[in-house]
């Protein structure tokens, strides 16, 4: 299976980098861009800052090394695309309508289809080969289960009591129904992906190594915006954040960040493949 980054992958990723940079700069520089309560506006602007300082560099570095046929770079690139798919879907749904709405939708769409295109052309056996014997699959699979359960408990603690009492969740009452976007994305996509990665990793299936790397890079990249936004909301009075909710917000992303670093460090460099020139020179 092909593993090199195709030309359209490069063009689409560069488009995401350019649009994301422009959108975040507008959000930071333009007064009144976000039409929301002051506490939420502050969290949106800090989210823009973390996109510029973390999300964009991760995607750019991943593209650079993936373009040089690096398995480690490919995992970072795919994780960066997963992050952009997640963050721009969340922004398009959560942020009150403004002039950049179609830009948000475009960023979500381009990131999603580029991610899918990159995944289907990934050589999973090659990724597994760089980690074979160097990754404790039981440890990583168990840790992923803990991360998935942490996210599930975090959001279900909002949803289940509301369903039992027949009242809207407190978050939806305070910040509006669009604030439930994270519940939808995490419970509907992220948590199942984490559990799937764990199940495949326990069985040492090739795609388990790929999915594990991608979800860990996604979690590590989300650590900054989620952590910062949680702290801002806890300090303000716009949205109520309980100590339990705060704990379950920080735990999964902290575990993901640590495991992502160790996962990437565990990937052994591949031996250089002989070039045509080297082949011609050999006796």
């Amino acid at each position: 299976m092909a593993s090199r980054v195709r030309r359209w992958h490069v063009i689409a990723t560069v488009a995401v980098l350019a649009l994301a940079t422009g959108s975040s700069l507008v959000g930071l520089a333009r007064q009144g861009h976000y039409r929301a309560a002051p506490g939420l506006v502050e969290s949106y602007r800090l989210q823009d800052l973390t996109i510029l300082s973390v999300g964009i560099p991760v995607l750019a570095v991943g593209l650079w090394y993936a373009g040089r046929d690096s398995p480690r770079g490919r995992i970072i690139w795919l994780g960066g695309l997963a992050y952009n798919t997640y963050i721009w879907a969340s922004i398009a749904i959560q942020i009150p309508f403004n002039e950049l709405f179609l830009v948000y939708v475009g960023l979500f769409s381009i990131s999603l289809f580029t991610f899918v295109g990159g995944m289907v052309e990934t050589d999973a056996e090659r990724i597994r080969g760089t980690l074979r014997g160097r990754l404790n699959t039981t440890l990583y699979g168990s840790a992923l289960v803990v991360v998935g359960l942490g996210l599930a408990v975090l959001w279900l603690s909002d949803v289940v009591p509301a369903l039992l009492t027949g009242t809207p969740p407190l978050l939806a009452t305070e910040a509006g129904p669009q604030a439930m976007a994270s519940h939808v994305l995490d419970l509907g996509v992220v948590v199942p992906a984490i559990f799937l990665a764990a199940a495949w990793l326990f069985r040492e299936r090739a795609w388990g190594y790929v999915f594990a790397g991608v979800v860990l890079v996604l979690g590590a990249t989300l650590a900054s915006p989620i952590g910062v936004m949680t702290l801002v909301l806890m300090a303000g009075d716009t949205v109520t954040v309980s100590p339990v909710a705060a704990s379950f917000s920080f735990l999964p992303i902290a575990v993901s960040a640590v495991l992502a670093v160790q996962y990437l460090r565990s990937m052994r460099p591949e031996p250089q493949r002989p070039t045509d020139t080297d082949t011609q020179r050999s006796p």
Side-chain angles (χ1 to χ4, degrees):
M1 180 181 291
S3 60
R4 290 186 178 274
V5 177
R6 293 184 179 272
R7 184 179 180 184
W8 79 265
H9 293 153
V10 176
I11 294 173
T13 304
V14 170
V16 171
L17 291 168
L19 289 172
T21 300
S23 173
S24 298
L25 288 174
V26 169
L28 286 170
R30 185 186 181 200
Q31 295 297 321
H33 179 70
Y34 296 119
R35 307 179 184 99
L40 292 176
V41 170
E42 184 179 1
S43 68
Y44 294 154
R45 289 167 64 84
L46 284 171
Q47 181 172 253
D48 285 325
L49 185 60
T50 59
I51 290 171
L52 289 170
S53 59
V54 180
I56 290 174
V58 167
L59 182 58
V61 168
L63 175 63
W64 176 267
Y65 285 103
R68 281 147 183 77
D69 204 24
S70 163
R72 182 183 288 124
R74 190 172 191 88
I75 292 296
I76 297 173
W77 173 60
L78 290 170
L81 286 170
Y83 164 84
N84 276 276
T85 301
Y86 180 99
I87 205 73
W88 293 110
S90 178
I91 287 173
I93 297 171
Q94 286 190 7
I95 290 180
F97 184 84
N98 61 39
E99 294 81 356
L100 293 184
F101 174 74
L102 290 180
V103 176
Y104 303 152
V105 174
L107 278 162
F108 162 64
S109 179
I110 298 170
S111 299
L112 173 62
F113 284 101
T114 309
F115 171 74
V116 172
M119 284 291 284
V120 298
E121 295 197 1
T122 293
D123 188 341
E125 287 292 345
R126 185 181 176 197
I127 300 297
R128 179 167 63 174
T130 66
L131 289 161
R132 190 186 297 274
R134 298 169 64 90
L135 194 75
N136 187 326
T137 54
T138 301
L139 173 63
Y140 274 74
S142 301
L144 285 171
V145 170
V146 171
V147 171
L149 287 174
L151 283 175
V153 169
L154 170 64
W155 297 133
L156 290 176
S157 65
D158 285 341
V159 174
V160 173
L163 292 174
L164 293 176
T165 60
T167 58
L170 180 61
L171 180 63
T173 302
E174 294 177 335
Q178 72 277 3
M180 302 295 288
S182 295
H183 296 63
V184 175
L185 294 172
D186 285 352
L187 292 174
V189 180
V190 177
V191 170
I194 291 173
F195 287 151
L196 181 62
W200 282 352
L201 205 54
F202 282 133
R203 299 178 183 178
E204 297 192 11
R205 293 180 60 177
W207 279 104
Y209 289 84
V210 178
F211 268 63
V214 171
V215 297
L216 288 174
V217 173
L218 167 63
T221 311
L222 284 170
S224 292
I226 292 177
V228 169
M229 290 180 70
T230 300
L231 289 174
V232 169
L233 293 175
M234 289 177 66
D237 56 4
T238 303
V239 175
T240 302
V241 181
S242 68
V244 174
S247 299
F248 278 98
S249 294
F250 288 115
L251 178 61
I253 58 177
V255 173
S256 296
V258 172
L259 292 179
V261 172
Q262 288 300 114
Y263 174 97
L264 294 171
R265 291 181 61 186
S266 297
M267 297 182 77
R268 68 165 61 90
E270 292 184 306
Q272 289 189 342
R273 301 174 184 177
T275 62
D276 293 339
T277 303
D278 294 333
T279 304
Q280 292 172 2
R281 289 178 180 175
S282 61

